[in-house]
């Protein structure tokens, strides 16, 4: 039996598989006009991403709803869509959801790295077939971008600023001319993109200085900034819901108190913003204190509570798992977080049992 035959064995399936029922229901009820090459109308794409209670469609992206509208409009036009923001703000998730809803395929993805080459963006060759048959479509290994052009779908370019500038700039002519030249194929050298093709790229604000995009390439994109969630109650609900969903999927029973998740979100928001809820300025660590990272901490803490604790998540497990976040980037981050515990957390520990447990656990870890 393959993982396709038994979806429960898949660690993380693509959005078009996870939400296949919702997409099918949206397609069946979709009577609005849709751009050529799109699987759903723009209104249905919006419902898929932001949810619709009437059609029992779950909300999948939390944050700036108008940003989603602007992203959908951009993808109907000639410009590509560039999603920028701090790490962990769900840029890749939004990219995946847009691709799943519009093209029915989120797998056409280029991962930007220092080792990304022009072949990864255009095409390469199966050299055994190339030697045996010469240049042919059968011997060609089409890149995700080539496949997207050929089939009229969206292609995702993750972390584009991690690519060297000369590799980034390969995209300039491809996005302007909407075609790929394959000189080795002779008369079949030109492949024109079908309607429905476009590019969604992502870049972390912290990485934009790694390889700055050229002005010419920037002009091929509309830029949208995905910002961290600022509403405390909203972020608590989001983290709680996502952790519970992950635990249910893994069939791991853990009792979770909302107050414990609220403590985690409060600490993350304060360390992220550099200010406590009382208005006191604090030092901000260099490490990423995003909502996605908060979900990871809460999930790991829940697993600790299940397999090494009482089966009930407490602030002790949260403190234990927080260390793995703090020690990622800068050694000075430990001092900054210790200062937060010695001042802010210590004061709250006098009045609240959860904060006291949080502080006591941290003291044993970081003497």
């Amino acid at each position: 039996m393959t993982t396709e035959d038994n979806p429960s064995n898949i660690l993380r399936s693509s959005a078009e598989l996870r939400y296949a029922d919702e997409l099918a229901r949206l397609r069946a009820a979709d009577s609005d006009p849709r751009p050529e090459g799109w699987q759903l109308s723009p209104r249905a794409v919006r419902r898929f991403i932001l949810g619709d209670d009437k059609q029992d469609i779950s909300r999948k992206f939390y944050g700036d709803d108008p940003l989603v509208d602007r992203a959908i409009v951009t993808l109907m036009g000639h410009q590509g869509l560039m999603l920028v923001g701090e790490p962990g703000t769900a840029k890749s998730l939004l990219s995946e959801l847009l691709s799943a809803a519009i093209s029915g395929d989120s797998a056409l993805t280029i991962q930007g790295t220092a080792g990304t080459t022009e072949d990864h963006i255009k095409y390469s060759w199966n050299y055994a077939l190339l030697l045996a048959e010469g240049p042919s479509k059968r011997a060609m290994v089409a890149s995700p971008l080539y496949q997207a052009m050929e089939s009229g779908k969206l292609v995702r370019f993750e972390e584009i600023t991690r690519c060297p500038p000369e590799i980034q700039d390969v995209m300039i002519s491809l996005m302007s001319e909407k075609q790929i030249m394959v000189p080795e194929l002779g008369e079949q050298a030109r492949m024109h993109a079908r309607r429905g093709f476009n590019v969604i790229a992502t870049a972390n604000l912290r990485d934009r200085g790694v390889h700055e995009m050229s002005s010419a390439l920037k002009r091929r994109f509309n830029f949208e900034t995905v910002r961290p969630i600022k509403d405390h109650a909203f972020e608590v609900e989001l983290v709680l819901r996502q952790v519970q969903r992950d635990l249910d999927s893994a069939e791991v029973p853990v009792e979770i108190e909302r107050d414990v998740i609220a403590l985690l979100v409060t600490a993350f928001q304060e360390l992220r913003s550099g200010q406590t809820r009382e208005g006191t300025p604090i030092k901000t660590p260099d490490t990423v204190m995003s909502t996605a990272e908060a979900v990871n901490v809460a999930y790991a803490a829940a697993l600790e509570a299940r397999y090494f604790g009482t089966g009930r998540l407490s602030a002790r497990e949260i403190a234990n798992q927080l260390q793995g976040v703090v020690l990622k980037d800068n050694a000075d981050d430990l001092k900054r977080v210790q200062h937060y515990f010695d001042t802010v957390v210590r004061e709250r520990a006098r009045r609240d049992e959860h904060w006291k447990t949080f502080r006591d656990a941290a003291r044993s870890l970081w003497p």
Side-chain angles (χ1 to χ4, degrees):
M1 179 180 289
T2 66
T3 53
E4 294 295 332
D5 297 322
N6 186 7
S8 64
N9 286 339
I10 300 175
L11 189 59
R12 186 189 184 278
S13 57
S14 60
E16 56 268 26
L17 294 179
R18 292 201 306 277
Y19 305 111
D21 290 343
E22 292 189 11
L23 288 168
R25 279 189 275 112
L26 284 167
R27 278 195 296 270
D30 192 7
S31 59
D32 292 319
R34 69 184 68 174
E36 188 175 350
W38 283 38
Q39 301 290 311
L40 295 173
S41 68
R43 284 194 178 95
V45 173
R46 187 184 196 277
R47 293 188 192 105
F48 174 68
I49 296 173
L50 299 179
D52 186 335
D53 292 337
K54 293 181 180 178
Q55 291 186 259
D56 194 25
I57 304 298
S58 62
R59 174 182 275 267
K60 303 164 189 69
F61 177 78
Y62 297 82
D64 186 358
D65 290 2
L67 180 149
V68 175
D69 293 340
R70 294 193 302 271
I72 294 170
V73 171
T74 291
L75 293 172
M76 287 189 281
H78 299 300
Q79 298 287 91
L81 173 63
M82 174 68 70
L83 299 173
V84 300
E86 292 292 323
T89 49
K91 300 182 297 298
S92 294
L93 174 63
L94 180 55
S95 167
E96 180 186 10
L97 293 172
L98 287 165
S99 297
I102 293 171
S103 300
D105 186 356
S106 63
L108 297 175
T109 304
I110 301 169
Q111 181 60 54
T113 69
T116 301
T117 66
E118 187 172 339
D119 290 352
H120 294 138
I121 297 175
K122 289 184 173 180
Y123 59 89
S124 58
W125 298 97
N126 179 324
Y127 286 101
L129 284 174
L130 185 64
L131 291 172
E133 302 177 357
S136 67
K137 284 294 295 288
R138 202 164 82 92
M140 179 190 294
V141 179
S143 71
L145 187 140
Y146 190 107
Q147 295 175 56
M149 278 190 170
E150 193 171 40
S151 57
K153 294 181 178 181
L154 297 179
V155 63
R156 302 163 57 202
F157 201 138
E158 295 288 319
E159 309 289 359
I160 190 171
T161 53
R162 290 190 175 275
C163 298
E166 63 272 16
I167 300 303
Q168 292 181 34
D169 284 347
V170 171
M171 296 292 294
I172 295 175
S173 61
L174 297 178
M175 295 181 69
S176 297
E177 300 172 11
K178 302 293 192 295
Q179 63 181 7
I180 290 182
M181 299 295 295
V182 188
E184 297 91 338
L185 295 183
E187 294 181 359
Q188 304 175 5
R190 192 187 305 268
M191 192 275 291
H192 294 276
R194 294 179 58 185
R195 292 191 181 276
F197 167 76
N198 211 330
V199 180
I200 308 176
T202 65
N204 286 325
L205 288 174
R206 298 193 184 194
D207 295 336
R208 289 176 74 178
V210 175
H211 295 296
E212 183 66 26
M213 294 174 65
S214 67
S215 297
L217 183 56
K218 286 179 180 178
R219 287 199 301 273
R220 271 67 181 181
F221 287 99
N222 283 343
F223 280 65
E224 293 290 348
T225 301
V226 185
R227 303 186 186 281
I229 298 172
K230 293 184 178 181
D231 185 282
H232 183 269
F234 188 64
E235 188 169 3
V236 170
E237 183 63 32
L238 175 58
V239 173
L240 185 61
R241 187 181 306 174
Q242 184 60 54
V243 171
Q244 194 62 63
R245 185 182 301 154
D246 291 344
L247 291 171
D248 291 344
S249 177
E251 298 182 354
V252 178
V254 179
E255 185 179 348
I256 300 178
E257 284 189 55
R258 185 184 183 87
D259 288 347
V260 174
I261 299 298
L263 179 151
L264 170 65
V265 170
T266 298
F268 265 59
Q269 285 196 346
E270 290 178 336
L271 289 168
R272 187 165 66 214
S273 65
Q275 187 177 55
T276 69
R277 62 192 182 192
E278 294 85 9
T280 305
I282 57 175
K283 295 181 179 179
T284 303
D286 290 340
T287 192
V288 176
M289 309 296 288
S290 64
T291 303
E293 197 69 70
V295 171
N296 292 337
V297 169
Y299 183 64
L303 294 177
E304 180 183 343
R306 173 68 180 87
Y307 293 107
F308 292 102
T310 64
R312 180 177 183 176
L313 178 63
S314 73
R316 181 176 303 280
E317 287 84 20
I318 296 292
N320 290 347
Q321 297 304 320
L322 189 62
Q323 184 173 222
V325 176
V326 174
L327 299 179
K328 281 185 179 180
D329 296 320
N330 190 334
D332 290 337
D333 282 352
L334 180 58
K335 297 177 182 178
R336 293 164 185 163
V337 175
Q338 281 179 323
H339 178 75
Y340 176 74
F341 273 89
D342 291 340
T343 54
V344 179
V345 176
R346 183 176 64 178
E347 183 61 31
R348 291 174 185 165
R350 296 173 180 173
R351 307 185 301 271
D352 186 282
E353 190 61 32
H354 289 307
W355 285 95
K356 183 178 185 303
T357 302
F358 191 48
R359 179 174 183 261
D360 291 346
R363 288 176 67 184
S364 65
L365 285 171
W366 308 325

